Amino acid sequence: MPATPWISLTTDYGLTDGFVAACHGVIARIAPAARVIDVTHLVPPADVRRGAAVLAQTVAYLPVGVHVAVVDPGVGTARRGVALA
């Protein structure tokens, strides 16, 4: 991990509630030195293909770090998340 950790966020949360702020708050508590890049929070709800396209368009231009994408058609189900390295 670089000296200044980078975290990017791509979600389908929208901008009309506090979900994005909650993500920033959790990151700030866990990793206060991290810098956060908001790629977008306007992926159409549950549109996994569009979320993947946004990541494909941007990840090559982002600093090395952790890239978090939450575009979830199965919110509230028992399905588990996916992590790639």
Side-chain angles (χ1 to χ4, degrees):
M1 184 69 73
T4 300
W6 287 91
I7 300 172
S8 75
L9 296 174
T10 304
T11 76
D12 63 353
Y13 290 166
L15 299 173
T16 60
D17 52 37
F19 290 131
V20 174
C23 290
H24 278 264
V26 170
I27 291 167
R29 285 182 177 202
I30 294 171
R35 294 184 63 185
V36 179
I37 298 170
D38 291 294
V39 175
T40 186
H41 300 292
L42 298 175
V43 173
D47 191 342
V48 174
R49 287 182 190 267
R50 182 68 191 132
V54 168
L55 284 176
Q57 291 168 347
T58 59
V59 76
Y61 302 99
L62 298 173
V64 173
V66 175
H67 305 289
V68 178
V70 182
V71 179
D72 193 354
V75 173
T77 66
R79 186 180 41 76
R80 298 186 58 162
V82 176
L84 304 171

